[in-house]
Amino acid sequence: MPKPWSAPTLDDVAKKAGVSTATVSRCLNDPKRVVEATRTRVMAAVSELGYTPNFAARVMAAKRSFTIGAIIPTMENAIFARGLQAFQEEIHNQGYTLLVSSSAYQPEAEEEQIRTLVARGADGLLLIGHDRDPRIFDYLDRQKIPVVVAWSFAPNQSAPSVGFDNRQAMQALAEQVMKLGHTRLAAISALTQGNDRARFRIEGIRDAMRANGLPETSLNVIETTYEIENGAAAFEQLMSLPQRPTAVLCGNDVLAVGAVRQAEKMGISIPDEVSITGFDDIELARIIRPSLTTVHVPHREMGRKAAVELIDMIETGSTGQSLRLETNVINRESLGPVA
Amino acid sequence: MPKPWSAPTLDDVAKKAGVSTATVSRCLNDPKRVVEATRTRVMAAVSELGYTPNFAARVMAAKRSFTIGAIIPTMENAIFARGLQAFQEEIHNQGYTLLVSSSAYQPEAEEEQIRTLVARGADGLLLIGHDRDPRIFDYLDRQKIPVVVAWSFAPNQSAPSVGFDNRQAMQALAEQVMKLGHTRLAAISALTQGNDRARFRIEGIRDAMRANGLPETSLNVIETTYEIENGAAAFEQLMSLPQRPTAVLCGNDVLAVGAVRQAEKMGISIPDEVSITGFDDIELARIIRPSLTTVHVPHREMGRKAAVELIDMIETGSTGQSLRLETNVINRESLGPVA
DNA sequence: TTGTAAGCGTTATCAG
DNA sequence: CTGATAACGCTTACAA
């Protein structure tokens, strides 16, 4: 009776090639340490059996998984997709595999995922933004798991970051809005709780207002979760205020798209009656009419550079360097001079 | 000198709680098999040490990983995001973790990823569409790894599928187009090579034409990769034909959006001069103006049901049941009667 | 109910 | 250059 089929192991290959398991292992991991003759014999056995090394066993023995984990707030919206794709391409080129999970913007979920990823032997982690319980960074530090934070630049934090200055980027946009004569500003933001990017963006607007002698208290901010419908609802709310704002700065493009659609529905003309701006410059910003004035973020570059930095930390044991990328305002149709 | 810190192991917990490793293991995996008293003692030790089981070791010993792999053609576009999110939510509820990778629409890449996922001990796999080397299904079969195919329904294949009938869905749309008097049809499709969804959709158009007495050879099909720009280019090409089509049916919403934008650029009015339709009903379809007439696919339902089916196969060893979901045509602005 | 001990499939150390 | 063999951390019969 044939034994029930199961995946071939190192041992099977070794027997077939007439060598020891150690030799097979070396052939696979460090080919030059074994002479040509035996190597070809081993390789033949490998492919004949269709052998694939067992990952769990390898991780356990080598204490190295060539796996990198990334935890992003959401997979459902496009913001992180492009940067993550570039991140994954880069680490793949360097022989690593990416493990992604999404926290749905919930800190506890994120913490759990971090532990899971660590338990799975991730060699390093990519996290989004700095806002999280410091004990998490301590934990990672003790475990000696390198971490890179992306989508937010801030030096002197518990972990190096590869990102951009959200505050300054939004300030630049707000400056431009005010140059066009707007004084009644409002903002629609993602929830700022545990989200430094969102918080900094709002601060950026305030900075610009201050610099232009506007009372920052006059900034009406609505916080909402990240969905087109919510952007629409927030916009409607702002537009039913006794004093309508003349410009609505949105924390990201998705909320802005909701605002634009709601304006259309309410018969409010953009940018004649109200200007709307976004942030991120995702595809949607270009596609919608009126097209969105927004802040362009170099997502692909950010993903790629974060990968380079993280792998460097993993392989050299370095403590990591923060890297600040440039953003720039993209002028499109949704922003115009005040009426 | 304190030993260099490293993650606590089962053994550490066992010592601290004054029990054997077996007992700790049982507390974690099957709590009711150990009495209350010792269990609380063990759990205390666990949380005091911040113990997290080592995944690799667990997989190796249990030959079970509670991990499910999914390989999708691309992460960068929104089509798969929604369905995958639902898939992940469902398997997470059932205690599994999702491992996603993208094949970039390359069969060899997909095959490699499948092997990787298997080597990592995936308990089951979600694949998109049926088109692939049958040897892959054989391999998975030998490894006894359950597979569910999604985004395409076809009974009596090597693997059960949870999806919809792409051919019939597109046929229904094409019927509607022809009811509006269109006889000069064209199509912009994703590459059909290795993509049964794309191929079936084109077939659906042909079915409808045949049923309406139109020569199927008159259908002009342009195949291109999946990007807005390519949809635009294909549309331009179609519109510079001596005989312009009056309706352009696109294989998915992204290509359709490209077509719509190109029409705008060329000053061609939709739907007065030409009608355009999409497929998938992603967010973009609703947002763009004119909004897209398209085929709505129950992505979330598909993801969820695929998860349920796959987990059932994993846990009961069943061979799996195919499930066919309904799609429906969503009428919006981009389709109108022929001029 | 709990403990003992034999694997699981690699890698890595140390001899030969 | 190659072969034994001891980890790696956990699960699971089997015993007690």
Side-chain angles (χ1 to χ4, degrees), chain A residues 87-97 311, chain B residues 112-113:
Chain A
F87 182 81
Q88 117 110 314
E89 282 165 18
E90 181 65 29
I91 68 170
H92 186 256
N93 286 344
Q94 310 231 25
Y96 287 78
T97 304
I311 291 177
Chain B
E112 189 202 319
Q113 318 242 35

Side-chain angles (χ1 to χ4, degrees), chain A residues 67 120 261 264 284 287, chain B residues 67 120 261 284 287 289:
Chain A
T67 293
R120 277 170 185 261
R261 278 290 155 265
E264 177 184 81
L284 220 51
I287 297 302
Chain B
T67 292
R120 276 169 185 263
R261 278 291 156 263
L284 220 50
I287 296 303
R289 290 294 175 272

Side-chain angles (χ1 to χ4, degrees), chain A residues 177-252:
Chain A
V177 169
M178 287 186 294
K179 284 241 166 54
L180 289 166
H182 294 276
T183 54
R184 295 210 306 277
L185 307 189
I188 303 178
S189 170
L191 299 181
T192 52
Q193 168 75 269
N195 184 336
D196 53 351
R197 288 93 63 211
R199 211 169 43 246
F200 281 136
R201 291 176 195 179
I202 297 296
E203 280 314 311
I205 302 178
R206 295 219 165 92
D207 291 346
M209 291 176 78
R210 212 173 308 135
N212 283 266
L214 292 180
E216 347 173 358
T217 52
S218 73
L219 181 71
N220 218 315
V221 180
I222 297 189
E223 290 190 16
T224 181
T225 58
Y226 185 32
E227 246 145 75
I228 292 185
E229 285 67 28
N230 294 338
F235 182 82
E236 182 171 25
Q237 201 177 326
L238 288 172
M239 286 303 138
S240 50
L241 254 33
Q243 274 268 72
R244 283 187 174 181
T246 62
V248 176
L249 287 72
C250 300
N252 59 52

Side-chain angles (χ1 to χ4, degrees), chain A residues 5 7 50 52-57 59-60 65-67 75-77 81-82 85 88 92 97-100 102 112 115 119-120 139 142-143 228-229 257 261 264 283-284 286-289 300, chain B residues 5 7 50 52-57 59-60 65-67 75-77 81-82 85 88 92 97-100 102 112 115 119-120 139 142-143 228-229 257 261 264 283-284 286-289 300:
Chain A
W5 192 94
T52 319
N54 178 299
F55 180 74
V59 170
M60 208 156 83
S65 68
F66 283 95
T67 293
M75 288 177 136
E76 243 187 293
N77 284 300
R82 195 170 296 262
Q85 178 78 25
Q88 117 110 314
H92 186 256
T97 304
L98 178 63
L99 242 53
V100 202
S102 83
E112 188 201 320
R115 289 187 187 276
R120 277 170 185 261
Y139 164 74
R142 281 200 311 274
Q143 301 265 19
I228 292 185
E229 285 67 28
V257 164
R261 278 290 155 265
E264 177 184 81
E283 209 157 53
L284 220 51
R286 236 174 56 224
I287 297 302
I288 198 173
R289 291 295 175 272
R300 291 195 58 86
Chain B
W5 193 92
T52 321
N54 177 301
F55 180 74
V59 171
M60 208 158 82
S65 69
F66 283 94
T67 292
M75 286 175 137
E76 242 186 295
N77 284 299
R82 195 170 297 263
Q85 178 77 26
Q88 116 111 314
H92 186 256
T97 304
L98 178 63
L99 242 53
V100 201
S102 84
E112 189 202 319
R115 288 187 190 276
R120 276 169 185 263
Y139 164 75
R142 282 202 309 275
Q143 302 266 19
I228 292 185
E229 285 67 27
V257 164
R261 278 291 156 263
E264 176 184 80
E283 211 157 53
L284 220 50
R286 235 173 55 225
I287 296 303
I288 199 174
R289 290 294 175 272
R300 291 194 59 85

Side-chain angles (χ1 to χ4, degrees), chain B residues 237-265:
Chain B
Q237 201 178 326
L238 288 172
M239 285 302 138
S240 50
L241 254 32
Q243 273 268 73
R244 283 188 173 179
T246 62
V248 177
L249 286 73
C250 300
N252 58 54
D253 288 343
V254 173
L255 294 173
V257 164
V260 167
R261 278 291 156 263
Q262 181 64 26
E264 176 184 80
K265 191 186 273 180

Side-chain angles (χ1 to χ4, degrees), chain A residues 274-285:
Chain A
V274 64
S275 283
I276 294 177
T277 65
F279 199 112
D280 282 334
D281 195 25
I282 60 176
E283 209 157 53
L284 220 51

